[in-house]
Amino acid sequence: MNEKYKIFKKGQTVVDLGYAPGSWSQVAIDRTLPGGRVIGIDMIPARPPRGVSTIQGNFLSPAVRESVKDFLRDPDRGRPRPQLVFSDEVTEDELEEMGRSYVEMERRTDVGTEGKAAGSSQGRRARDEAEGRMVDVVLSDMSAPWPQVTGYWRRSLSDPYYRMMNTSGLSFKDHAGSMDLCTAALRFTHDALRSGGHFICKFYQGTEDKLLETRLKKLFKSVHREKPESSRSESKEAYFVALRRRDGVERSDIFPDE
């Protein structure tokens, strides 16, 4: 999907919800270096890809969501430090450039280079930061684990990783669970995603995904449905790819009943 939609850029901040085992996070950290940072959240204990920061916990927990926001408030946290290499051939100007904060690099990622466009972009980014929106891309690959009722002695059942990687076999139940997780991810995205940022969300198709698509179209300029090539033809698994967050959209515009 990244090849098609050009989601990642150098220096971005990326949040990966439900990151285990880490394949999306690996792509994100590879595409956002140098200067990028990726934070993964999952209730499953898993070793993250090198360079990826993680928080273990249930994203539906308010305490876990607050921990994520605390992490994001520090623009340097989770971001690799520049390595300075000294030699007789390095000039003072080059040393100054190498020492430049990666935060500044991120702030200049999508800023125009001239005229009114540059001023508008800078003002929008400053407003986003003042309101706590520090994220460029939100990925949500969360799955609701089906409940365990037997086989507690078998690791293949007692390990939540395996229960999250499989659907329950009840299409309505899988669909309803994925809609709850997508809605939670969308609420977080509204609070944390910068103007112009992107949101990718896995869901299981069903009667309620049209409502989710309508909500996404209120917040983003472009919304696409994608079915991964690796997914079986009979599988209900799909993704929403929501591009370029609109500026000035209130939460009440997306969730009028709240």
Side-chain angles (χ1 to χ4, degrees):
M1 279 188 281
N2 185 62
E3 285 72 19
K4 182 175 182 179
Y5 295 109
K6 309 300 181 186
I7 296 164
F8 301 114
K9 296 179 181 178
K10 294 179 181 180
Q12 286 179 327
T13 293
V14 179
V15 174
D16 187 356
L17 306 176
Y19 83 92
S23 55
W24 280 30
S25 289
Q26 183 67 70
V27 173
I29 195 67
D30 289 345
R31 300 298 175 89
T32 58
L33 290 176
R37 61 172 176 168
V38 178
I39 174 173
I41 300 91
D42 210 306
M43 61 191 299
I44 300 170
R47 177 178 292 180
R50 183 177 181 138
V52 176
S53 303
T54 62
I55 293 177
Q56 184 183 347
N58 186 344
F59 183 71
L60 297 182
S61 164
V64 172
R65 293 197 297 272
E66 191 58 35
S67 294
V68 177
K69 291 178 181 179
D70 285 342
F71 183 100
L72 295 170
R73 286 187 186 105
D74 183 349
D76 285 323
R77 192 174 179 186
R79 202 181 301 278
R81 302 290 183 180
Q83 296 181 352
L84 299 181
V85 179
F86 296 94
S87 73
D88 295 337
E89 299 178 358
V90 178
T91 67
E92 291 185 5
D93 290 341
E94 290 171 334
L95 283 174
E96 182 179 353
E97 180 65 24
M98 285 189 289
R100 186 184 301 275
S101 168
Y102 274 125
V103 180
E104 180 63 22
M105 180 188 297
E106 182 190 49
R107 286 175 177 167
R108 294 187 291 115
T109 298
D110 61 354
V111 173
T113 57
E114 57 183 346
K116 186 180 296 184
S120 174
S121 182
Q122 288 175 335
R124 184 169 61 248
R125 182 168 288 270
R127 184 168 62 252
D128 283 340
E129 292 180 358
E131 295 178 0
R133 296 195 290 268
M134 306 289 291
V135 181
D136 298 289
V137 180
V138 175
L139 310 172
S140 177
D141 199 30
M142 294 188 288
S143 297
W146 46 270
Q148 184 175 0
V149 296
T150 186
Y152 292 96
W153 62 92
R154 296 174 57 188
R155 179 172 176 78
S156 60
L157 289 178
S158 60
D159 191 329
Y161 172 78
Y162 293 98
R163 291 188 282 122
M164 285 182 161
M165 293 297 104
N166 296 278
T167 55
S168 67
L170 303 174
S171 58
F172 177 78
K173 182 177 182 180
D174 295 331
H175 169 65
S178 76
M179 289 298 100
D180 289 342
L181 293 172
C182 289
T183 298
L186 180 56
R187 288 192 178 99
F188 172 81
T189 297
H190 175 270
D191 294 342
L193 189 69
R194 299 183 192 274
S195 300
H198 310 314
F199 175 51
I200 301 177
C201 184
K202 180 176 76 176
F203 70 100
Y204 290 97
Q205 300 174 72
T207 57
E208 295 183 21
D209 61 41
K210 284 288 187 183
L211 174 60
L212 176 60
E213 185 175 13
T214 298
R215 288 171 170 170
L216 289 171
K217 288 181 177 179
K218 291 180 179 179
L219 186 59
F220 294 91
K221 294 182 179 179
S222 178
V223 178
H224 307 270
R225 287 177 180 246
E226 291 286 339
K227 187 172 178 62
E229 295 180 0
S230 58
S231 178
R232 300 187 305 273
S233 59
E234 66 273 15
S235 173
K236 295 291 187 179
E237 180 183 280
Y239 290 86
F240 277 122
V241 181
L243 306 174
R244 300 184 300 280
R245 178 199 168 127
R246 300 179 190 273
D247 192 22
V249 179
E250 301 294 335
R251 179 179 282 210
S252 58
D253 298 329
I254 308 170
F255 304 102
D257 296 333
E258 293 187 355

